[in-house]
Amino acid sequence: MAGKIKTRYQCNECGAVTLKWAGQCMDCNSWNTLTEVVIEGKPLVSERFQSHAAEQAAIRKLSEVDLVRQPRVSTGSAEFDRSLGGGLVSGSAILLGGDPGIGKSTLLLQVLSSLAENDGINTLYISGEESIEQINLRAARLGLPADGLYVLAENQLENIFTAADRHKPSVLVVDSIQTVFSEALQSAPGAVAQVRECAARLVRFAKQTRTTVFLVGHVTKEGALAGPRVLEHMVDTVLYFEGDNNSRYRIIRSVKNRYGAVNELGIFAMTDKGLREVNNPSAIFLASQDEQAPGTAILVTREGSRPLLVEVQALVDQSHSQQPRRVTVGLEQNRLSMLLAVLHRHAGIVTYDQDVFVNVVGGIKLTETAADLAILMAIVSSLKNRPLAKGLIVFGEVGLTGEIRPVQEGQERLKEAEKHGFDKAVIPAANAPRKKQGKLEMLPVRKLSEAIEALNSIE
């Protein structure tokens, strides 16, 4: 028998619970911190799923649990499988966020079509924003077969569970979580309480029924997922759709994954037939190397398990203001300020009267410190108005004392550079291989001053 639904208002600051909403918490005196919560609710799924979940809830010794690897199901896209950690895991909850119009709904519709057509998997697409006619028009524009696609336009959570219990899909897409609401709560769709409660119930549904659930999430103007932060803690995998709407390339970055590595990238190109995976991503991040320009340097960065060749551009110009500008795109601005201080202190190169602009080509965001040396070499090249040598790659971490520190997976980075035709490399001395690696000429350095001297010697 289902218990009667009861709602209360809980303070996000102190946890106090009241029967009615108020602008100020009576316990901690905080303003606008009371949110609606469900105390008792209706059952989410059928009784057979609840009994199955109760059987699995017994306390067991970890050594007695059989080590069974979760089987993966391919989505039909190698790049999407990479970002997921190898494919779909039954019972997992996946949150996909991104800017409006970047391709979230398009990608998931393509994935469901591929699963239904190639593997015969039962799928269900729940749309809270679009009508079935709009989804049908998109599928026709993308050239997707409509026979295996099951669609429901619904945003009430209880009706979604009823439809899912009847249809019994193996993969369920809810687009989007901000439009779904539960009748147990009085707040409007998109409110903190609604997003948190609906997401919690959908995650519980995924675990109880072994259904793979995709939740599409809106993002704020700062680029973070809208709604409570606990939303990202509930799910198993969090994927961010990155890229400029004016560019045809899209990047899916895994920032959380309980079933695989984080920071894995899936790279796609947007076409008139939907998203197509990019087989050679390093090529799209490199501009034409026929004519080397001052202020450019090529580095080998690493995103998850994938080495990528990326072009870093720097522009150094005379400043006409008392406060020189430090502008970065794809790089943390504080990191640039620190590197410029190291360049001044340990190489004697002054930039305090110069505006410095640094851009990472292709929309990639550099988060690892292996890009330090390449950034400084691009800045020196722009300042002196002399291009770096053609066919040169640079990577290495720069310390505050001017030392060039080694980076992880140095050998894999060198192999990736050699595969793309590069023949010279300025690298940390600790990353230098003992044997000559193909036709790649190594220039190992220990100090920043040695790196600048090495660049002058190969110009």
Side-chain angles (χ1 to χ4, degrees):
M1 239 354 237
K4 185 179 179 180
I5 300 175
K6 296 180 181 179
T7 60
R8 297 291 186 268
Y9 295 90
Q10 186 175 21
C11 177
N12 293 330
E13 297 293 332
C14 66
V17 178
T18 62
L19 296 177
K20 296 182 179 180
W21 184 87
Q24 185 180 28
C25 175
M26 301 301 294
D27 287 40
C28 65
N29 297 325
S30 300
W31 288 93
N32 299 321
T33 57
L34 295 180
T35 56
E36 192 178 13
V37 295
V38 175
I39 304 301
E40 297 179 12
K42 295 181 179 180
L44 304 179
V45 291
S46 60
E47 296 294 335
R48 64 188 184 92
F49 290 131
Q50 289 189 346
S51 61
H52 173 74
E55 293 175 359
Q56 301 296 323
I59 298 176
R60 302 172 64 185
K61 188 182 294 184
L62 191 60
S63 58
E64 298 174 354
V65 180
D66 295 333
L67 184 61
V68 179
R69 295 191 178 275
Q70 292 283 352
R72 302 264 184 177
V73 177
S74 175
T75 61
S77 170
E79 291 296 310
F80 196 41
D81 288 342
R82 176 189 290 271
S83 62
L84 290 169
L88 299 177
V89 178
S90 61
S92 62
I94 304 164
L95 179 62
L96 177 62
D99 293 331
I102 202 168
K104 303 184 295 296
S105 301
T106 299
L107 175 64
L108 292 178
L109 200 62
Q110 290 181 246
V111 168
L112 293 190
S113 176
S114 176
L115 291 173
E117 183 181 16
N118 299 328
D119 301 323
I121 296 176
N122 193 19
T123 63
L124 179 59
Y125 187 97
I126 305 291
S127 176
E129 300 178 348
E130 297 177 294
S131 65
I132 296 179
E133 290 76 16
Q134 288 176 304
I135 299 173
N136 188 29
L137 287 174
R138 177 187 289 125
R141 176 173 55 84
L142 299 176
L144 301 177
D147 292 339
L149 289 175
Y150 292 91
V151 186
L152 173 65
E154 182 60 64
N155 55 8
Q156 184 175 333
L157 185 64
E158 288 74 19
N159 293 340
I160 291 175
F161 284 135
T162 301
D165 195 22
R166 182 176 62 252
H167 187 66
K168 294 179 177 57
S170 298
V171 180
L172 175 68
V173 172
V174 179
D175 185 6
S176 65
I177 187 60
Q178 277 79 14
T179 62
V180 178
F181 71 94
S182 172
E183 64 178 6
L185 299 176
Q186 299 177 2
S187 51
V192 172
Q194 286 284 6
V195 173
R196 180 176 56 195
E197 184 66 22
C198 293
R201 293 190 183 186
L202 285 166
V203 171
R204 204 178 315 153
F205 170 82
K207 304 304 179 185
Q208 291 176 352
T209 62
R210 307 300 300 165
T211 302
T212 302
V213 176
F214 281 96
L215 303 178
V216 178
H218 296 170
V219 295
T220 63
K221 61 182 180 180
E222 290 81 14
L225 281 165
R229 188 70 176 181
V230 71
L231 181 62
E232 299 183 40
H233 293 278
M234 292 178 182
V235 298
D236 300 307
T237 305
V238 179
L239 305 176
Y240 274 90
F241 232 127
E242 301 175 357
D244 188 357
N245 289 335
N246 297 322
S247 173
R248 63 190 297 258
Y249 296 110
R250 303 287 189 267
I251 298 172
I252 297 181
R253 184 187 300 272
S254 171
V255 297
K256 174 188 176 181
N257 196 347
R258 290 173 180 161
Y259 300 107
V262 296
N263 286 330
E264 289 285 1
L265 288 187
I267 303 172
F268 299 85
M270 179 63 79
T271 67
D272 57 345
K273 295 298 182 181
L275 290 165
R276 296 291 181 264
E277 56 187 357
V278 177
N279 297 323
N280 186 14
S282 292
I284 70 173
F285 300 130
L286 295 179
S288 175
Q289 298 299 307
D290 295 337
E291 183 178 350
Q292 194 76 359
T296 64
I298 309 298
L299 72 101
V300 188
T301 186
R302 193 169 181 85
E303 296 288 349
S305 60
R306 164 184 283 175
L308 291 176
L309 286 157
V310 180
E311 180 181 354
V312 177
Q313 296 179 338
L315 175 62
V316 182
D317 192 22
Q318 183 71 34
S319 178
H320 299 284
S321 62
Q322 295 181 352
Q323 188 71 26
R325 301 181 65 188
R326 304 287 184 258
V327 180
T328 61
V329 178
L331 177 71
E332 187 182 1
Q333 188 172 358
N334 292 335
R335 189 77 185 175
L336 174 61
S337 300
M338 186 192 73
L339 291 175
L340 292 177
V342 175
L343 184 66
H344 179 205
R345 179 66 180 270
H346 299 286
I349 298 178
V350 176
T351 58
Y352 59 78
D353 57 347
Q354 305 286 326
D355 291 330
V356 180
F357 306 88
V358 176
N359 174 48
V360 183
V361 176
I364 282 287
K365 295 181 180 179
L366 296 178
T367 57
E368 65 166 359
T369 55
D372 291 351
L373 188 57
I375 294 170
L376 288 182
M377 296 303 99
I379 291 173
V380 172
S381 172
S382 177
L383 183 63
K384 296 183 177 181
N385 198 28
R386 286 188 293 179
L388 302 181
K390 187 177 180 181
L392 173 70
I393 61 111
V394 184
F395 64 82
E397 178 182 354
V398 178
L400 291 178
T401 60
E403 80 276 15
I404 308 300
R405 304 176 63 85
V407 299
Q408 295 182 349
E409 309 295 342
Q411 301 302 314
E412 285 74 9
R413 297 172 194 260
L414 294 174
K415 290 179 181 178
E416 182 73 11
E418 185 183 7
K419 184 175 70 175
H420 286 80
F422 289 83
D423 54 9
K424 294 177 282 293
V426 176
I427 60 174
N431 283 127
R434 296 181 180 179
K435 297 181 180 179
K436 182 176 176 59
Q437 187 157 340
K439 299 180 180 180
L440 203 59
E441 179 186 354
M442 306 294 174
L443 296 171
V445 293
R446 291 181 173 84
K447 293 287 186 180
L448 180 59
S449 56
E450 295 180 12
I452 296 176
E453 292 176 3
L455 292 179
N456 294 331
S457 66
I458 59 176
E459 287 181 346

